[in-house]
Amino acid sequence: MKTIDELLAEGVTGKRVFVRADLNVPLANGEITDDGRIRAVQPTIEKLAEAGARVIVASHLGRPKGAPDPAFSLAPAAKRLGELLGADVAFATDTVGASAKETVAALADGKVAVIENLRFNAGETAKDDAERGAFADELAELADVYVGDGFGAVHRKHASVFDLPARLPHAAGYLIATEVGVLKKLTAEVKRPYVVVLGGAKVSDKLAVIDQLLGKADRILIGGGMAYTFLYAKGHEVGISLLQKDQVDVVKEYMERAAKSGVELVLPVDVLVSADFPDLKTKAPADFETVDADRIPADKEGLDIGPKTRELYASKIADAETVFWNGPVGVFEHPDYANGTKAVAQALVDSSAFTVVGGGDSAAAVRILGFDENAFGHISTGGGASLEYLEGKTLPGLAALEG
């Protein structure tokens, strides 16, 4: 995989460099609530601009239906990028149309432009190779060189991620190089004890990574909505908690495998439960009680790990040399159910281990809950991409950069 430093050594002055970034930032009423992904790609963009490249930044945002949708415009991200760079950033109001062509043509050496959401064009996400390739051909006309730095999208076989690098000289940006280096420390170069914390809503989203980790991790701590399927598989009633009954047999098999292979699989011992899901808009005080994990009332739902579990999980993380965490362990968006996720984050901060926060909601949680990002070894920009890498899958975007 060619590095951006190798590309810079060859010279990029005056060249149109297409940077596939991940500017898929969360928005509320048109305002960015977490600019972490923009800051993550900033070093690559700055270095190219300083070298005199004409930088064209492209990304997706959200899941528009292959057509323009103002709710998913990249305009706020372009504005924020300009603020971070301390320079004007031009914005094209389409992807490969008149505005994109005019904006790119007007770029001077060392200047930056952002083109509109790639998913406003159906060709970006098309399953059909020809349709996707046709869109990649149009994107290729905008640029001379391709730099892949949108780690959060490398697990997608999309036109700008997979097809475009085949049409242009290409290199990996700083963010992708960092992310891949970190993931190697979680797979090929692991320091032990290796502790994995998995949360989130659905156990089905994590089955493949659990399958792989049963042969690699020393301890796996389970939290979030997915924990209730594990508790049910152990024979506990879980009330109206999130439960995937169709996954119970698989979960039972994984628990048996963990026991046989010596992997410590740790489940909640107490949980916060309520008959009502919390109001996440007003964050009104919740009506909850703490119960043992095997005593969840029939009419109540588990919404966070309890105080005994927080202490247990912190103790399981304390002596680790490597920790990977993906998925909040409670409904952290509400203050009454954020303490479990806070406790996990704090345990990582207190640990002397190499700690990795696996993107997505976990990354958002540590920022929203006020933790210093520098207190963690690495905060990934791609939750799904990180998981698929750990599952041993070939990621299309990385394969394209290696080609």
Side-chain angles (χ1 to χ4, degrees):
M1 189 182 295
K2 189 175 187 177
T3 68
I4 190 171
D5 286 331
E6 290 172 326
L7 177 67
L8 290 166
E10 294 172 358
V12 294
T13 302
K15 290 185 178 180
R16 301 169 300 163
V17 181
F18 187 104
V19 177
R20 200 335 178 158
D22 179 9
L23 308 181
N24 186 27
V25 292
L27 298 169
N29 300 316
E31 297 293 323
I32 296 171
T33 58
D34 179 3
D35 67 357
R37 284 177 171 168
I38 303 176
R39 288 185 286 108
V41 76
Q42 184 182 344
T44 291
I45 295 170
E46 282 182 333
K47 202 72 167 181
L48 288 166
E50 288 169 4
R54 302 176 183 187
V55 186
I56 305 145
V57 183
S59 176
H60 69 288
L61 192 153
R63 295 175 184 245
K65 306 296 183 182
D69 183 338
F72 297 107
S73 175
L74 278 174
K79 178 184 176 184
R80 180 59 182 147
L81 177 61
E83 293 169 351
L84 291 168
L85 294 175
D88 290 336
V89 169
F91 181 66
T93 56
D94 57 26
T95 55
V96 292
S99 179
K101 291 173 183 175
E102 291 168 7
T103 301
V104 171
L107 272 180
D109 294 358
K111 297 300 182 180
V112 179
V114 174
I115 63 174
E116 186 55 284
N117 192 336
L118 292 164
R119 291 185 184 175
F120 284 2
N121 189 306
E124 169 68 2
T125 59
K127 301 293 185 185
D128 180 75
D129 290 348
E131 183 181 354
R132 215 175 50 246
F135 182 48
D137 287 338
E138 292 186 272
L139 290 172
E141 291 178 8
L142 298 174
D144 305 304
V145 180
Y146 177 94
V147 171
D149 216 24
F151 181 73
V154 294
H155 59 315
R156 305 294 187 193
K157 193 177 182 181
H158 290 170
S160 66
V161 176
F162 178 75
D163 302 273
L164 185 55
R167 289 157 168 78
L168 294 170
H170 51 265
Y174 292 121
L175 174 61
I176 278 186
T178 298
E179 295 273 14
V180 171
V182 166
L183 288 168
K184 285 181 178 177
K185 291 183 179 180
L186 299 178
T187 50
E189 306 162 7
V190 184
K191 292 185 177 180
R192 300 183 179 280
Y194 178 20
V195 177
V196 176
V197 185
L198 295 177
K202 295 182 178 179
V203 68
S204 55
D205 293 341
K206 303 286 178 18
L207 286 178
V209 76
I210 293 172
D211 182 50
Q212 287 293 316
L213 289 170
L214 283 174
K216 296 181 174 72
D218 297 298
R219 297 176 199 134
I220 302 176
L221 318 183
I222 304 291
M226 62 183 288
Y228 302 100
T229 300
F230 278 86
L231 291 170
Y232 188 87
K234 283 191 71 175
H236 304 321
E237 291 301 323
V238 296
I240 57 172
S241 304
L242 189 61
L243 171 63
Q244 290 185 280
K245 283 191 175 181
D246 60 329
Q247 303 297 336
V248 169
D249 288 342
V250 179
V251 167
K252 284 181 178 178
E253 178 196 338
Y254 284 0
M255 289 193 294
E256 291 170 2
R257 279 177 54 195
K260 289 178 182 177
S261 60
V263 176
E264 192 177 358
L265 193 61
V266 187
L267 301 178
V269 294
D270 63 341
V271 295
L272 273 59
V273 299
S274 176
D276 298 304
F277 194 81
D279 185 334
L280 299 181
K281 288 186 177 180
T282 66
K283 294 182 172 54
D287 179 20
F288 65 87
E289 63 176 315
T290 302
V291 300
D292 289 343
D294 58 354
R295 295 286 187 272
I296 297 175
D299 62 343
K300 294 191 175 181
E301 175 180 15
L303 296 165
D304 194 13
I305 58 173
K308 288 188 288 187
T309 305
R310 291 173 221 151
E311 290 183 11
L312 172 65
Y313 285 10
S315 72
K316 297 296 183 182
I317 291 168
D319 67 342
E321 289 293 329
T322 304
V323 184
F324 173 71
W325 170 33
N326 182 279
V329 296
V331 186
F332 75 93
E333 299 90 343
H334 192 284
D336 289 334
Y337 301 114
N339 289 322
T341 301
K342 278 183 184 176
V344 170
Q346 188 63 54
L348 266 66
V349 169
D350 293 341
S351 170
S352 60
F354 175 63
T355 56
V356 179
V357 180
D361 286 341
S362 314
V366 298
R367 296 186 182 109
I368 290 169
L369 297 174
F371 286 89
D372 180 358
E373 294 179 42
N374 295 320
F376 303 90
H378 179 69
I379 298 179
S380 178
T381 57
S386 295
L387 287 177
E388 290 199 15
Y389 189 101
L390 293 179
E391 290 167 19
K393 291 183 177 179
T394 297
L395 306 188
L398 296 185
L401 291 174
E402 290 166 351

